[in-house]
Amino acid sequence: MRFRDRAEAGRELAGLLSELRDQGALVDPLVLALPRGGIAVAEPVARALGAPLDVLVVRKIGAPHHQEFAVGALVADDPPLFDAHSLGLLGLTEESLAPAVERERRELRRREQRYRGDRPTPDPAGRTVIVVDDGLATGATARAALRHVRRRGPAHLVLAVPVGAPDSLDLLVGEADRIVCPYRPVGFSAVGQWYEDFEQLTDAEVLAALERRGLHRA
């Protein structure tokens, strides 16, 4: 099974989440997309739920010579969150990744300024927060995002992704109160293999999605 594009994946997620809302499981929802790719999935979700949409910028820390393989992730000013198993498997240390952490921290701050400007981050306290991405491979970015949001006191925390690696999803049980993922294929190797169109989104496309939901940079 492959999605045509992120919008189609978002519509499928929106249908599942709408059922949960109708059952009373998603009270006062706030949708947080992990940009860039997650914003195109999250937009139809927020529209279907009648929920506010915003972004939570997370940057993965890639393995040397294999940047797509995340060994850790950064959110806001939080310390980097590393995956100890991946570090050990690749013979890496946190200290050896310090240059990568600094590089990703600079890009994270650039994107936060680009997408948010002076607009404050939404307060998740007491709300149902739905963290949305376009897929889940190692789970490093999702784990960092969920822990960051959890510390801010949501009433209920949901991770929603269209497709994910089964083993990685299993490791996230407990990080979220609920995981919504309709496709968990065996033999998962990369998120992009489950999309016909997996072109990288631009900053302009992220801003356009936010503006369609009534958010404008200050």
Side-chain angles (χ1 to χ4, degrees):
M1 186 278 161
R2 298 177 77 199
F3 296 106
R4 183 168 59 251
D5 53 22
R6 292 180 178 91
E8 181 182 71
R11 289 191 293 272
E12 179 145 352
L13 270 187
L16 296 174
L17 291 163
S18 294
E19 290 178 10
L20 290 174
R21 177 204 55 199
D22 294 345
Q23 296 165 11
L26 303 178
V27 178
D28 191 20
L30 166 66
V31 178
L32 294 180
L34 305 189
R36 298 179 179 132
I39 192 74
V41 179
E43 189 176 6
V45 168
R47 187 184 308 116
L49 297 178
L53 170 67
D54 213 320
V55 292
L56 177 60
V57 182
V58 183
R59 292 296 297 170
K60 68 182 174 187
I61 302 165
H65 313 300
H66 189 7
Q67 289 298 308
E68 289 304 307
F69 184 82
V71 297
L74 291 167
V75 187
D77 292 324
D78 296 355
L81 180 63
F82 289 102
D83 179 71
H85 176 73
S86 295
L87 293 183
L89 188 68
L90 298 173
L92 300 171
T93 65
E94 295 184 16
E95 292 75 17
S96 69
L97 291 167
V101 170
E102 182 56 34
R103 180 177 65 250
E104 296 303 338
R105 183 84 72 183
R106 287 195 300 270
E107 177 59 15
L108 183 148
R109 289 171 176 157
R110 184 198 72 78
R111 292 194 185 195
E112 285 184 331
Q113 177 61 33
R114 184 81 172 96
Y115 303 156
R116 189 174 301 284
D118 296 326
R119 178 166 53 82
T121 58
D123 184 5
R127 306 187 70 166
T128 296
V129 178
I130 305 167
V131 175
V132 179
D133 204 357
D134 54 14
L136 187 140
T138 68
T141 55
R143 179 177 291 105
L146 291 168
R147 290 189 182 182
H148 176 80
V149 175
R150 179 75 79 185
R151 287 192 291 270
R152 300 183 65 196
H156 194 66
L157 183 56
V158 178
L159 173 65
V161 291
V163 62
D167 291 347
S168 297
L169 287 162
D170 288 344
L171 291 173
L172 289 177
V173 172
E175 300 284 358
D177 300 309
R178 185 189 297 268
I179 296 176
V180 178
C181 179
Y183 297 103
R184 306 178 181 214
V186 176
F188 186 105
S189 61
V191 174
Q193 76 182 107
W194 304 103
Y195 287 85
E196 294 175 12
D197 177 2
F198 198 65
E199 287 295 318
Q200 183 174 352
L201 272 68
T202 65
D203 286 346
E205 288 172 309
V206 174
L207 288 170
L210 292 173
E211 289 172 1
R212 284 192 291 271
R213 297 300 299 169
L215 293 177
H216 299 268
R217 290 187 305 123

